[in-house]
């Protein structure tokens, strides 16, 4: 018996992303439903599109600013709350830990149950618990509230990527939308540093004012979302159960890994501490089990087995085959994102410490030296919007990752006696090219190759790799820094203490340089990976509407052929089931 589903969404992802008709069957192989391939988007006003782009970009600005703003204020927070220096990093790490570990799970929930309200609730979460952080009176309260605040970022960022992919079909406007969204990262980093530097130094409530300012922006984001984001329309998915076991495995595994990477440098015996080694092993083991479990679920659903009716066999949280999309090129793009964030976040982490702890600058002067990153970041995304439909993606990614490596390299050979314009300024200018080019082109590529019902999961995968890359890059460079400062201090007859405050200044400089050499190696590794594996990817953006229409027509014809083949297969299976029943 063959039935045609009438639950076709009126606004599918886009003509380019509707890969084929979706054919499903019940567990007995006797009933099938075919979801329609394509429907045009409902008309939207240009003003509504502009508000939507501004809203999701503001969410990205908030996500980044919630890290960089606190980095500038850490010394002040430590003094006011009596937090020892080596524990200050947990104010940032707690946020990154929760946001990075829950991206996949909350991205899947957004795809299943609605991206609009997932986005709004995520922004509200960031605002409410950010407000609470501003009233925290001790270290534990602040760390816990920061961890809960990160859940909001894990909800709204993947949902934002899915919303952009759904509302903007392949066109020049899609390229602009994704490039603007990507610009939120460097702008957020600069705004966070600038606002935090000013508010921390000039207001009575110092660092607390920063939290309250960001809370206000969070609620502006919620209002913009309510005004501009259309109500979600389901994609006709027959199975909306949540893979709770997979969610537990990946969340627990990533939590243990990121915790160990963040805490390894300040543990009692450093990276030799027993619980750090144990957490890394268990975390890695849980992630491996997660991959096998997701593969098992995917195979069950592909075979339409009777066991699918069991409560423990929902659709996989993450389709393992998503890594093989575009002949494995998606996996390469995700790996490059990981390496780029290792390099870029390591750079931003160490230059702030270099300026404040080694050079002795106050927060405002440190912020001034970081401001060129903001201006360049905006210009980079304008460049992406203009050329992503004309230049193969490999050129953008290779140039970007190389320049991030060069930024690290400039500090690796820095002369402290030289002026800011000799090393600091050019490093700040070129550092953001990699993050902006990789984020904009990477998210466009994810939107292009992922299926409509997994756009938020695809975006979550990309974001997860950047979060893990941040933790990994800072952890590895910290290991190098600590080892170098201990070794170099011995040459001056000094046994460095745990916080490194008694290290001679020449030893500190060598340690900063070695940490920057580490960051540069990550950037150059990403460039090599792109040069080898992404040469055949081509262009990921779009130039003209005429090109989009012709490309979409070709895709629709191809999808129609595949749908026809699948329909014939369904009829054969149905006939076979009928003959078996007669027998």
């Amino acid at each position: 018996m063959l039935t045609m589903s009438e639950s076709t969404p009126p606004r599918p992802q886009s003509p380019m992303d509707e890969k084929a008709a979706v054919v499903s069957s019940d567990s007995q192989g006797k009933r099938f439903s075919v979801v329609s391939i394509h429907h045009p988007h409902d008309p939207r006003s240009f003003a509504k599109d502009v508000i939507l782009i501004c809203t999701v970009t503001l969410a990205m600005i908030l996500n980044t600013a919630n890290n960089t703003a606190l980095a500038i204020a850490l010394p002040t927070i430590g003094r006011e709350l009596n937090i020892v220096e080596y524990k200050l990093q947990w104010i940032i790490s707690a946020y990154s830990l929760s946001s990075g570990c829950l991206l996949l799970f909350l991205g899947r929930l957004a795809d299943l149950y609605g991206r609009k309200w997932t986005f709004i609730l995520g922004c509200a979460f960031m605002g409410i618990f950010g407000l609470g952080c501003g009233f925290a009176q001790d270290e534990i309260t602040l760390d816990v509230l920061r961890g809960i605040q990160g859940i909001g970022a894990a909800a709204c960022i993947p949902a934002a990527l899915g919303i952009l992919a759904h509302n903007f079909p392949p066109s020049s406007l899609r390229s602009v939308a994704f490039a603007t969204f990507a610009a939120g990262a460097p702008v957020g980093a600069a705004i966070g540093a600038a606002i935090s530097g000013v508010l921390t130094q000039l207001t009575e409530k110092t660092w607390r004012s920063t939290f309250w300012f960001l809370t206000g922006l969070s609620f502006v984001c919620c209002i913009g979302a309510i005004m501009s984001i259309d109500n979600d329309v389901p994609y006709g998915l027959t199975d909306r159960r949540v893979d709770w076991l997979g969610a537990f495995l990946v969340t627990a595994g990533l939590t243990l890994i990121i915790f160990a990477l963040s805490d390894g440098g300040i543990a009692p015996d450093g990276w030799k501490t027993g619980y750090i080694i144990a957490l890394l092993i268990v975390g890695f083991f849980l992630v491996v089990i997660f991959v096998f479990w997701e593969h098992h679920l995917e195979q069950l659903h592909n075979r339409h087995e009777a066991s699918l009716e069991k409560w423990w066999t929902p659709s996989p949280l993450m389709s393992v085959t998503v890594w093989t999309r575009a002949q494995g090129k998606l996996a390469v793009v995700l790996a490059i994102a990981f390496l780029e964030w290792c390099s870029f976040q390591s750079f931003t982490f160490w230059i702030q410490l270099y300026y404040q702890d080694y050079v002795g600058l106050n927060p405002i002067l440190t912020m001034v030296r970081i401001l060129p990153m903001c201006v360049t970041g905006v210009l980079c995304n304008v460049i992406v919007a203009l050329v992503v439909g004309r230049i193969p993606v490999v050129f953008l990614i290779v140039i970007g990752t190389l320049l991030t490596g060069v930024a690290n390299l400039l500090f690796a050979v820095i002369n402290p006696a030289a002026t800011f314009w000799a090393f600091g300024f050019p490093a700040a200018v070129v550092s953001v090219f990699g993050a902006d080019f990789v984020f904009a082109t990477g998210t466009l590529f994810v939107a292009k190759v992922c299926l409509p019902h997994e756009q938020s999961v695809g975006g979550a995968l990309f974001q997860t790799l950047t979060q893990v890359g941040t933790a990994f890059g800072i952890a590895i460079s910290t290991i190098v820094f600590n080892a170098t400062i201990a070794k170099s201090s011995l040459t001056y007859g000094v046994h460095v203490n745990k916080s490194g405050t008694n290290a001679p200044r020449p030893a500190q400089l060598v340690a900063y340089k070695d940490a920057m050499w580490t960051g540069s190696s990550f950037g150059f590794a990403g460039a090599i990976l792109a040069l080898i594996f992404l040469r055949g990817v081509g262009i990921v953006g779009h130039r003209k509407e005429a090109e989009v229409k012709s490309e979409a027509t070709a895709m629709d014809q191809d999808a129609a052929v595949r749908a026809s083949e699948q329909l014939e297969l369904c009829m054969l299976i149905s006939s076979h089931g009928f003959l078996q029943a007669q027998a």
Side-chain angles (χ1 to χ4, degrees):
M1 177 180 177
L2 187 70
T3 61
M4 298 295 292
S5 171
E6 296 180 357
S7 61
T8 306
R11 296 189 62 195
Q13 167 83 17
S14 71
M16 284 294 294
D17 291 322
E18 293 292 343
K19 309 296 186 208
V22 180
V23 181
S24 61
S25 68
D26 68 1
S27 59
Q28 301 301 321
K30 297 179 182 179
R31 290 186 303 164
F32 303 88
S33 64
V34 181
V35 179
S36 145
I37 300 171
H38 171 68
H39 264 279
H41 279 61
D42 292 339
R44 284 172 54 95
S45 68
F46 179 73
K48 199 172 183 180
D49 283 341
V50 170
I51 295 174
L52 171 58
I53 294 172
C54 291
T55 298
V56 296
T57 302
L58 180 58
M60 175 57 77
I61 289 172
L62 282 168
N63 179 44
T64 311
N66 268 301
N67 275 322
T68 57
L70 270 296
I72 289 286
L74 283 182
T76 306
I77 296 174
R79 287 193 299 270
E80 291 193 10
L81 298 184
N82 296 316
I83 304 174
V84 294
E85 185 177 354
Y86 68 89
K87 289 186 178 181
L88 282 174
Q89 71 165 4
W90 270 110
I91 298 174
I92 294 177
S93 298
Y95 180 91
S96 301
L97 186 66
S98 58
S99 62
C101 297
L102 290 167
L103 281 165
L104 265 177
F105 173 55
L106 294 176
R108 179 60 175 165
L109 289 185
D111 280 334
L112 287 177
Y113 296 109
R115 295 163 185 156
K116 176 178 180 177
W117 287 104
T118 302
F119 178 86
I120 293 172
L121 291 174
C123 292
F125 232 70
M126 280 199 291
I128 292 169
F129 288 96
L131 181 66
C133 288
F135 290 101
Q137 299 297 322
D138 57 76
E139 174 191 353
I140 300 298
T141 302
L142 184 57
D143 288 345
V144 170
L145 289 175
R146 285 283 290 168
I148 300 174
Q149 188 188 24
I151 298 174
C156 69
I157 298 303
L161 286 165
I163 288 167
L164 287 178
H166 173 79
N167 282 276
F168 298 101
S171 63
S172 58
L173 185 57
R174 171 182 266 205
S175 299
V176 171
F178 274 89
T180 306
F181 179 71
V187 171
I191 287 178
I195 295 298
S196 179
V198 172
L199 294 179
T200 299
Q201 190 161 330
L202 300 181
T203 64
E204 181 183 354
K205 296 297 183 180
T206 63
W207 58 273
R208 300 179 189 276
S209 303
T210 302
F211 278 115
W212 297 335
F213 173 79
L214 295 177
T215 295
L217 292 183
S218 297
F219 288 105
V220 170
C221 213
C222 293
I223 294 171
I226 293 172
M227 293 173 55
S228 63
I229 302 174
D230 294 332
N231 291 327
D232 293 286
V233 178
Y235 284 105
L237 296 174
T238 56
D239 188 357
R240 293 184 179 276
R241 292 174 296 168
V242 177
D243 177 16
W244 292 106
L245 178 57
F248 167 76
L249 289 172
V250 70
T251 302
L254 289 175
T255 298
L256 296 180
I257 291 172
I258 296 178
F259 177 87
L261 289 175
S262 301
D263 204 54
I266 61 175
D269 294 323
W271 293 95
K272 297 178 182 179
T273 307
Y275 74 82
I276 294 295
I277 298 173
L279 291 179
L280 283 173
I281 294 173
V282 174
F284 179 77
F285 182 67
L286 289 176
V287 171
V288 171
I289 294 177
F290 165 74
V291 172
F292 279 104
W293 172 247
E294 298 303 292
H295 178 69
H296 171 68
L297 288 181
E298 191 171 6
Q299 293 300 311
L300 285 180
H301 282 262
N302 288 341
R303 293 195 298 264
H304 305 293
E305 293 191 1
S307 60
L308 291 180
E309 293 182 347
K310 305 294 185 182
W311 65 268
W312 48 268
T313 56
S315 296
L317 186 72
M318 178 199 72
S319 172
V320 178
T321 55
V322 74
W323 293 82
T324 66
R325 299 283 160 77
Q327 299 177 332
K329 297 294 192 298
L330 179 58
V332 176
V333 170
L334 294 173
I336 292 170
F338 170 83
L339 291 170
E340 171 58 29
W341 258 253
C342 285
S343 180
F344 176 67
Q345 296 292 3
S346 173
F347 173 81
T348 58
F349 178 80
W350 289 109
I351 62 168
Q352 293 184 62
L353 291 179
Y354 172 82
Y355 283 135
Q356 292 194 65
D357 292 348
Y358 182 79
V359 180
L361 300 180
N362 61 38
I364 287 185
L365 290 178
T366 300
M367 173 270 295
V368 170
R369 281 159 174 75
I370 296 174
L371 272 182
M373 296 172 65
C374 172
V375 179
T376 309
V378 174
L379 293 176
C380 283
N381 285 283
V382 172
I383 293 171
V384 170
L386 293 174
V387 305
V388 73
R390 295 175 171 81
I391 297 178
V393 67
V394 62
F395 291 110
L396 292 171
I397 292 180
V398 169
I399 291 171
T401 49
L402 280 176
L403 288 177
T404 302
V406 168
N408 282 274
L409 189 61
L410 285 170
F411 268 85
V413 297
I414 194 171
N415 178 5
T419 66
F420 167 69
W421 306 102
F423 293 92
F425 178 74
V429 168
V430 302
S431 65
V432 297
F433 275 82
D436 289 333
F437 284 4
V438 170
F439 192 96
T441 58
T443 50
L444 272 171
F445 188 69
V446 168
K448 187 173 184 178
V449 302
C450 286
L451 296 173
H453 61 275
E454 57 187 25
Q455 290 291 331
S456 293
V457 168
L461 263 180
F462 189 92
Q463 287 289 324
T464 299
L465 267 295
T466 62
Q467 292 283 358
V468 176
T470 298
F472 187 80
I474 293 176
I476 297 301
S477 59
T478 300
I479 292 173
V480 173
F481 179 89
N482 291 340
T484 301
I485 201 169
K487 182 179 178 180
S488 298
S489 296
L490 286 176
T491 62
Y492 295 92
V494 176
H495 290 273
V496 69
N497 59 29
K498 188 172 183 178
S499 60
T501 53
N502 66 331
R505 283 182 60 80
Q508 292 180 42
L509 180 61
V510 174
Y512 280 116
K513 288 185 174 183
D514 282 0
M516 288 297 185
W517 278 111
T518 306
S520 68
S521 66
F522 288 125
F524 295 144
I528 294 171
L529 204 61
L531 196 60
I532 295 174
F533 295 104
L534 296 185
R535 286 178 295 173
V537 170
I539 297 171
V540 298
H542 302 275
R543 285 182 294 181
K544 302 174 183 177
E545 300 300 327
E547 294 177 359
V548 174
K549 290 180 180 177
S550 63
E551 196 171 5
T553 301
M555 285 293 296
D556 285 344
Q557 290 173 348
D558 181 56
V561 170
R562 282 179 284 174
S564 176
E565 293 172 350
Q566 290 175 335
L567 186 59
E568 291 176 6
L569 177 62
C570 290
M571 294 177 70
L572 287 173
I573 297 173
S574 180
S575 300
H576 179 66
F578 175 76
L579 291 175
Q580 283 184 328
Q582 292 296 317

